[in-house]
Amino acid sequence: MEFDPRKLSTALFVLSLVLQCKPRIPEVGKTIEISELGLIFDYEGWTYGEDASEQYEYRAKQKSRSDQKKQDLKVLFYLIDSEENSKSGIRTSINFISEPIPVKYSKATLDDYVASMGALYSNVYRNYQMLSVPQKISLGNHKAALLEAKFLLESSGRETEIHTYQIVFLKEGSAYVISASTPETEFKTKGSKLLGTLMRIRGNEKP
């Protein structure tokens, strides 16, 4: 069953917002447990924040009060690289968002959702390209897909090439997307940190 790619449009707004946001209080050596998803995030070396969700909600409502879909999408949290690297004006970051899947697409599979993401990003971002075939992975008890891609992001009147990893999984009528992104010019130094942080996400199953 095909999943409507238009339903993912708000994720693009969140991605650009989080890439440019500023952190509040640097913290290292921390973990985040999301018990309802059975996941634990180790974010050592990153600054944790939740402001992006508040900024997103305000701007989305101002943009279209009638579009309930925009208000349904949630930024669960975001992480900003604790090391300053603002040469391009874009910060290396990780964000975790969720959005409900419309009832009429309730039969959509993970493959359907991933295909829809690729189709939408190709139409919205300039020079969007998937760098490899999506990999099937396990994230705790969730079946997930790992994607790697590049695209051009417009910011402050100029375009910056962004390199991103994304982990996608579905649970009980919602889609969850973890995006780890950095300017392509910094990927050689930041890419391993992005992927390494994603690979440290684990299940919180008790022994």
Side-chain angles (χ1 to χ4, degrees):
M1 181 176 184
E2 294 185 357
F3 190 81
D4 186 352
R6 292 174 297 177
K7 302 301 180 181
L8 295 169
S9 59
T10 48
L12 303 177
F13 176 81
V14 173
L15 177 59
S16 63
L17 173 63
V18 175
L19 281 168
Q20 299 173 63
C21 66
K22 296 294 183 179
R24 290 178 296 173
I25 303 173
E27 296 181 63
V28 296
K30 304 292 185 177
T31 59
I32 308 164
E33 181 173 2
I34 303 182
S35 56
E36 61 268 30
L37 296 178
L39 295 175
I40 296 176
F41 291 71
D42 173 357
Y43 66 99
E44 182 175 357
W46 299 86
T47 298
Y48 175 86
E50 294 179 341
D51 296 67
S53 61
E54 298 168 5
Q55 296 176 45
Y56 166 74
E57 288 172 3
Y58 171 77
R59 292 176 60 180
K61 290 176 183 177
Q62 293 300 311
K63 184 176 181 181
S64 175
R65 292 180 180 274
S66 63
D67 189 348
Q68 184 63 41
K69 184 61 181 178
K70 287 184 174 63
Q71 297 177 39
D72 286 341
L73 187 140
K74 296 179 181 179
V75 179
L76 302 181
F77 61 83
Y78 68 89
L79 307 175
I80 301 295
D81 189 356
S82 297
E83 300 174 10
E84 289 288 342
N85 59 1
S86 57
K87 294 180 181 178
S88 64
I90 301 294
R91 299 294 301 272
T92 296
S93 64
I94 296 175
N95 69 84
F96 189 16
I97 66 171
S98 70
E99 68 172 344
I101 298 174
V103 175
K104 66 178 179 178
Y105 297 111
S106 61
K107 300 299 183 182
T109 65
L110 179 61
D111 288 340
D112 293 333
Y113 193 88
V114 168
S116 297
M117 291 176 66
L120 177 62
Y121 291 170
S122 294
N123 289 329
V124 175
Y125 288 128
R126 285 189 54 211
N127 295 355
Y128 178 86
Q129 55 178 313
M130 194 80 73
L131 299 179
S132 62
V133 175
Q135 300 178 41
K136 296 295 179 64
I137 64 172
S138 294
L139 199 67
N141 290 326
H142 306 290
K143 294 181 179 179
L146 174 64
L147 292 68
E148 182 180 7
K150 291 196 299 185
F151 58 90
L152 291 177
L153 176 68
E154 185 174 350
S155 173
S156 302
R158 65 177 181 176
E159 290 184 321
T160 301
E161 188 171 34
I162 301 297
H163 198 126
T164 184
Y165 291 107
Q166 291 180 298
I167 291 179
V168 186
F169 64 94
L170 310 180
K171 176 180 171 60
E172 297 176 354
S174 291
Y176 295 86
V177 182
I178 307 168
S179 299
S181 307
T182 191
E184 179 63 28
T185 54
E186 299 171 15
F187 181 73
K188 286 185 178 180
T189 57
K190 299 297 182 181
S192 58
K193 181 176 182 177
L194 289 173
L195 187 58
T197 300
L198 294 183
M199 294 299 99
R200 291 203 306 271
I201 300 172
R202 64 187 188 277
N204 65 353
E205 300 86 356
K206 300 298 186 295

